Amino acid sequence: MTTLYEQLGGADAVNLAVDKFYERVLQDDRIKHFFADVDMVKQRAHQKAFLTYAFGGTDKYDGRYMREAHKELVEKHGLNSEHFDAVAEDLMETLKEMGVPEELLAEVAAVAAAPQHKKDVLNQ
């Protein structure tokens, strides 16, 4: 059985999607301020590694857990549900622009916007 990662096009597709996604995020007035002081080279690499793991491209993930990675953003910068939804929306719009089929978009949404992920990111 092929993984979602493979169905999306593997490393090349994930790398391109993350780069295009952050182009969109950095133009999104709802959330761009969260990235003002972020090393975007590191951020892109981190996101590529995370999505590779989340979509089944590897069974290893060496990054920080979502609660830890977003705790300061929640406590000091007001990261909330609307921001989480904006990020998920930007990801989905990016993938649509890249021509990802609807059935794969639904699978991506199920992973990226899973209620438990939202709880973890928002430290709830």
Side-chain angles (χ1 to χ4, degrees):
M1 182 173 158
T2 60
T3 64
L4 178 55
Y5 176 79
E6 292 167 329
Q7 292 175 61
L8 290 168
D12 289 342
V14 169
N15 291 342
L16 180 61
V18 168
D19 289 340
K20 288 185 171 295
F21 164 71
Y22 278 116
E23 288 174 16
R24 180 181 293 276
V25 164
L26 294 174
Q27 298 299 314
D28 189 332
D29 290 335
R30 300 172 296 175
I31 53 178
K32 67 183 182 183
H33 59 281
F34 289 108
F35 299 90
D37 297 321
V38 172
D39 177 341
M40 291 308 295
V41 172
K42 274 179 70 173
Q43 181 65 26
R44 281 179 169 91
H46 168 75
Q47 191 68 22
K48 289 171 185 178
F50 175 73
L51 290 179
T52 296
Y53 169 76
F55 297 154
T58 182
D59 59 359
K60 286 180 22 181
Y61 176 66
D62 296 327
R64 294 186 299 165
Y65 291 105
M66 283 200 258
R67 284 185 182 271
E68 177 189 341
H70 296 91
K71 185 175 183 179
E72 184 174 325
L73 293 174
V74 172
E75 293 176 355
K76 296 183 180 176
H77 301 283
L79 181 71
N80 64 38
S81 183
E82 290 176 24
H83 302 124
F84 180 92
D85 294 345
V87 168
E89 178 186 313
D90 284 346
L91 177 61
M92 299 309 293
E93 287 300 317
T94 299
L95 295 175
K96 282 181 192 174
E97 279 183 6
M98 292 176 62
V100 172
E102 285 295 323
E103 63 273 8
L104 292 183
L105 289 174
E107 288 186 53
V108 169
V111 173
Q116 187 58 50
H117 289 167
K118 190 171 188 174
K119 286 180 181 179
D120 287 345
V121 166
L122 299 177
N123 279 251
Q124 298 174 336

mmCIF file of all heavy atoms in Angstrom, residues 14-15 18 43-55 58 60-63:
data_model
loop_
_atom_site.group_PDB
_atom_site.id
_atom_site.type_symbol
_atom_site.label_atom_id
_atom_site.label_comp_id
_atom_site.label_asym_id
_atom_site.label_seq_id
_atom_site.Cartn_x
_atom_site.Cartn_y
_atom_site.Cartn_z
ATOM 1 N N VAL A 14 6.700 17.383 -1.446
ATOM 2 C CA VAL A 14 6.618 17.962 -0.104
ATOM 3 C C VAL A 14 7.504 19.197 -0.010
ATOM 4 O O VAL A 14 7.089 20.227 0.535
ATOM 5 C CB VAL A 14 6.965 16.918 0.978
ATOM 6 C CG1 VAL A 14 7.146 17.571 2.347
ATOM 7 C CG2 VAL A 14 5.875 15.849 1.052
ATOM 8 N N ASN A 15 8.698 19.121 -0.550
ATOM 9 C CA ASN A 15 9.597 20.283 -0.516
ATOM 10 C C ASN A 15 8.989 21.480 -1.234
ATOM 11 O O ASN A 15 9.008 22.602 -0.713
ATOM 12 C CB ASN A 15 10.953 19.929 -1.129
ATOM 13 C CG ASN A 15 11.738 18.965 -0.269
ATOM 14 O OD1 ASN A 15 11.469 18.786 0.913
ATOM 15 N ND2 ASN A 15 12.721 18.321 -0.873
ATOM 16 N N VAL A 18 5.936 22.865 0.784
ATOM 17 C CA VAL A 18 6.323 23.643 1.962
ATOM 18 C C VAL A 18 6.835 25.016 1.551
ATOM 19 O O VAL A 18 6.473 26.032 2.164
ATOM 20 C CB VAL A 18 7.351 22.881 2.825
ATOM 21 C CG1 VAL A 18 7.974 23.780 3.883
ATOM 22 C CG2 VAL A 18 6.687 21.665 3.476
ATOM 23 N N GLN A 43 12.805 26.852 9.651
ATOM 24 C CA GLN A 43 11.376 26.567 9.745
ATOM 25 C C GLN A 43 10.917 25.694 8.588
ATOM 26 O O GLN A 43 10.179 24.728 8.783
ATOM 27 C CB GLN A 43 10.575 27.874 9.774
ATOM 28 C CG GLN A 43 9.083 27.686 9.898
ATOM 29 C CD GLN A 43 8.654 27.067 11.207
ATOM 30 O OE1 GLN A 43 9.342 27.187 12.219
ATOM 31 N NE2 GLN A 43 7.520 26.402 11.198
ATOM 32 N N ARG A 44 11.369 26.026 7.388
ATOM 33 C CA ARG A 44 10.998 25.212 6.227
ATOM 34 C C ARG A 44 11.529 23.786 6.369
ATOM 35 O O ARG A 44 10.816 22.826 6.075
ATOM 36 C CB ARG A 44 11.524 25.850 4.941
ATOM 37 C CG ARG A 44 10.693 26.995 4.436
ATOM 38 C CD ARG A 44 11.296 27.591 3.147
ATOM 39 N NE ARG A 44 10.395 28.516 2.506
ATOM 40 C CZ ARG A 44 10.366 29.823 2.743
ATOM 41 N NH1 ARG A 44 11.204 30.359 3.617
ATOM 42 N NH2 ARG A 44 9.501 30.592 2.119
ATOM 43 N N ALA A 45 12.762 23.649 6.801
ATOM 44 C CA ALA A 45 13.356 22.312 6.978
ATOM 45 C C ALA A 45 12.580 21.523 8.025
ATOM 46 O O ALA A 45 12.302 20.324 7.840
ATOM 47 C CB ALA A 45 14.826 22.433 7.366
ATOM 48 N N HIS A 46 12.219 22.187 9.111
ATOM 49 C CA HIS A 46 11.449 21.531 10.167
ATOM 50 C C HIS A 46 10.092 21.067 9.630
ATOM 51 O O HIS A 46 9.673 19.936 9.868
ATOM 52 C CB HIS A 46 11.262 22.497 11.346
ATOM 53 C CG HIS A 46 10.260 22.033 12.338
ATOM 54 N ND1 HIS A 46 10.524 21.025 13.232
ATOM 55 C CD2 HIS A 46 8.994 22.432 12.564
ATOM 56 C CE1 HIS A 46 9.443 20.824 13.963
ATOM 57 N NE2 HIS A 46 8.504 21.660 13.583
ATOM 58 N N GLN A 47 9.422 21.944 8.887
ATOM 59 C CA GLN A 47 8.097 21.598 8.360
ATOM 60 C C GLN A 47 8.182 20.466 7.348
ATOM 61 O O GLN A 47 7.319 19.596 7.315
ATOM 62 C CB GLN A 47 7.446 22.830 7.726
ATOM 63 C CG GLN A 47 5.995 22.641 7.391
ATOM 64 C CD GLN A 47 5.117 22.518 8.622
ATOM 65 O OE1 GLN A 47 5.472 22.945 9.700
ATOM 66 N NE2 GLN A 47 3.970 21.912 8.459
ATOM 67 N N LYS A 48 9.213 20.469 6.529
ATOM 68 C CA LYS A 48 9.397 19.389 5.563
ATOM 69 C C LYS A 48 9.581 18.056 6.287
ATOM 70 O O LYS A 48 8.986 17.047 5.909
ATOM 71 C CB LYS A 48 10.585 19.680 4.646
ATOM 72 C CG LYS A 48 10.298 20.803 3.665
ATOM 73 C CD LYS A 48 11.529 21.251 2.898
ATOM 74 C CE LYS A 48 11.220 22.447 2.011
ATOM 75 N NZ LYS A 48 12.391 22.947 1.298
ATOM 76 N N ALA A 49 10.386 18.068 7.347
ATOM 77 C CA ALA A 49 10.600 16.843 8.124
ATOM 78 C C ALA A 49 9.305 16.387 8.791
ATOM 79 O O ALA A 49 8.974 15.195 8.789
ATOM 80 C CB ALA A 49 11.695 17.071 9.170
ATOM 81 N N PHE A 50 8.566 17.348 9.348
ATOM 82 C CA PHE A 50 7.319 16.995 10.024
ATOM 83 C C PHE A 50 6.302 16.417 9.046
ATOM 84 O O PHE A 50 5.692 15.381 9.311
ATOM 85 C CB PHE A 50 6.724 18.202 10.752
ATOM 86 C CG PHE A 50 5.382 17.888 11.337
ATOM 87 C CD1 PHE A 50 5.285 17.068 12.457
ATOM 88 C CD2 PHE A 50 4.219 18.355 10.750
ATOM 89 C CE1 PHE A 50 4.045 16.734 12.979
ATOM 90 C CE2 PHE A 50 2.986 18.024 11.265
ATOM 91 C CZ PHE A 50 2.888 17.213 12.389
ATOM 92 N N LEU A 51 6.099 17.075 7.909
ATOM 93 C CA LEU A 51 5.106 16.578 6.957
ATOM 94 C C LEU A 51 5.524 15.245 6.339
ATOM 95 O O LEU A 51 4.675 14.397 6.080
ATOM 96 C CB LEU A 51 4.830 17.620 5.868
ATOM 97 C CG LEU A 51 4.077 18.863 6.339
ATOM 98 C CD1 LEU A 51 3.885 19.831 5.183
ATOM 99 C CD2 LEU A 51 2.742 18.512 6.984
ATOM 100 N N THR A 52 6.805 15.064 6.137
ATOM 101 C CA THR A 52 7.291 13.765 5.656
ATOM 102 C C THR A 52 6.881 12.665 6.632
ATOM 103 O O THR A 52 6.363 11.619 6.234
ATOM 104 C CB THR A 52 8.817 13.787 5.464
ATOM 105 O OG1 THR A 52 9.127 14.741 4.433
ATOM 106 C CG2 THR A 52 9.364 12.422 5.084
ATOM 107 N N TYR A 53 7.062 12.928 7.913
ATOM 108 C CA TYR A 53 6.660 11.983 8.955
ATOM 109 C C TYR A 53 5.135 11.838 9.003
ATOM 110 O O TYR A 53 4.606 10.717 8.981
ATOM 111 C CB TYR A 53 7.202 12.461 10.308
ATOM 112 C CG TYR A 53 6.636 11.728 11.482
ATOM 113 C CD1 TYR A 53 7.063 10.433 11.786
ATOM 114 C CD2 TYR A 53 5.678 12.309 12.299
ATOM 115 C CE1 TYR A 53 6.530 9.754 12.866
ATOM 116 C CE2 TYR A 53 5.153 11.643 13.379
ATOM 117 C CZ TYR A 53 5.578 10.357 13.662
ATOM 118 O OH TYR A 53 5.052 9.688 14.729
ATOM 119 N N ALA A 54 4.424 12.959 9.060
ATOM 120 C CA ALA A 54 2.970 12.936 9.219
ATOM 121 C C ALA A 54 2.272 12.241 8.054
ATOM 122 O O ALA A 54 1.231 11.614 8.243
ATOM 123 C CB ALA A 54 2.444 14.366 9.371
ATOM 124 N N PHE A 55 2.851 12.356 6.854
ATOM 125 C CA PHE A 55 2.244 11.752 5.674
ATOM 126 C C PHE A 55 2.771 10.353 5.376
ATOM 127 O O PHE A 55 2.462 9.776 4.345
ATOM 128 C CB PHE A 55 2.428 12.652 4.450
ATOM 129 C CG PHE A 55 1.747 13.989 4.547
ATOM 130 C CD1 PHE A 55 2.219 15.065 3.828
ATOM 131 C CD2 PHE A 55 0.630 14.180 5.347
ATOM 132 C CE1 PHE A 55 1.600 16.307 3.901
ATOM 133 C CE2 PHE A 55 -0.003 15.414 5.435
ATOM 134 C CZ PHE A 55 0.483 16.476 4.706
ATOM 135 N N THR A 58 8.318 8.582 6.501
ATOM 136 C CA THR A 58 9.301 7.997 7.400
ATOM 137 C C THR A 58 8.604 7.682 8.717
ATOM 138 O O THR A 58 7.553 8.263 9.022
ATOM 139 C CB THR A 58 10.497 8.948 7.644
ATOM 140 O OG1 THR A 58 11.451 8.296 8.492
ATOM 141 C CG2 THR A 58 10.060 10.244 8.308
ATOM 142 N N LYS A 60 10.327 8.009 11.540
ATOM 143 C CA LYS A 60 11.134 8.728 12.530
ATOM 144 C C LYS A 60 10.873 10.215 12.432
ATOM 145 O O LYS A 60 10.817 10.769 11.335
ATOM 146 C CB LYS A 60 12.629 8.487 12.287
ATOM 147 C CG LYS A 60 13.129 7.125 12.684
ATOM 148 C CD LYS A 60 14.606 6.920 12.445
ATOM 149 C CE LYS A 60 15.409 8.185 12.350
ATOM 150 N NZ LYS A 60 16.813 8.017 12.102
ATOM 151 N N TYR A 61 10.729 10.844 13.598
ATOM 152 C CA TYR A 61 10.602 12.298 13.644
ATOM 153 C C TYR A 61 11.441 12.778 14.808
ATOM 154 O O TYR A 61 11.209 12.376 15.955
ATOM 155 C CB TYR A 61 9.138 12.721 13.802
ATOM 156 C CG TYR A 61 8.979 14.209 13.941
ATOM 157 C CD1 TYR A 61 9.288 15.059 12.883
ATOM 158 C CD2 TYR A 61 8.535 14.776 15.123
ATOM 159 C CE1 TYR A 61 9.155 16.434 13.002
ATOM 160 C CE2 TYR A 61 8.393 16.147 15.247
ATOM 161 C CZ TYR A 61 8.700 16.965 14.195
ATOM 162 O OH TYR A 61 8.580 18.316 14.311
ATOM 163 N N ASP A 62 12.405 13.632 14.522
ATOM 164 C CA ASP A 62 13.341 14.088 15.547
ATOM 165 C C ASP A 62 13.040 15.493 16.063
ATOM 166 O O ASP A 62 13.756 16.006 16.906
ATOM 167 C CB ASP A 62 14.778 14.058 15.001
ATOM 168 C CG ASP A 62 15.226 12.643 14.663
ATOM 169 O OD1 ASP A 62 14.793 11.701 15.348
ATOM 170 O OD2 ASP A 62 15.999 12.488 13.707
ATOM 171 N N GLY A 63 11.981 16.102 15.555
ATOM 172 C CA GLY A 63 11.642 17.463 15.981
ATOM 173 C C GLY A 63 10.967 17.488 17.342
ATOM 174 O O GLY A 63 10.651 16.449 17.936
#
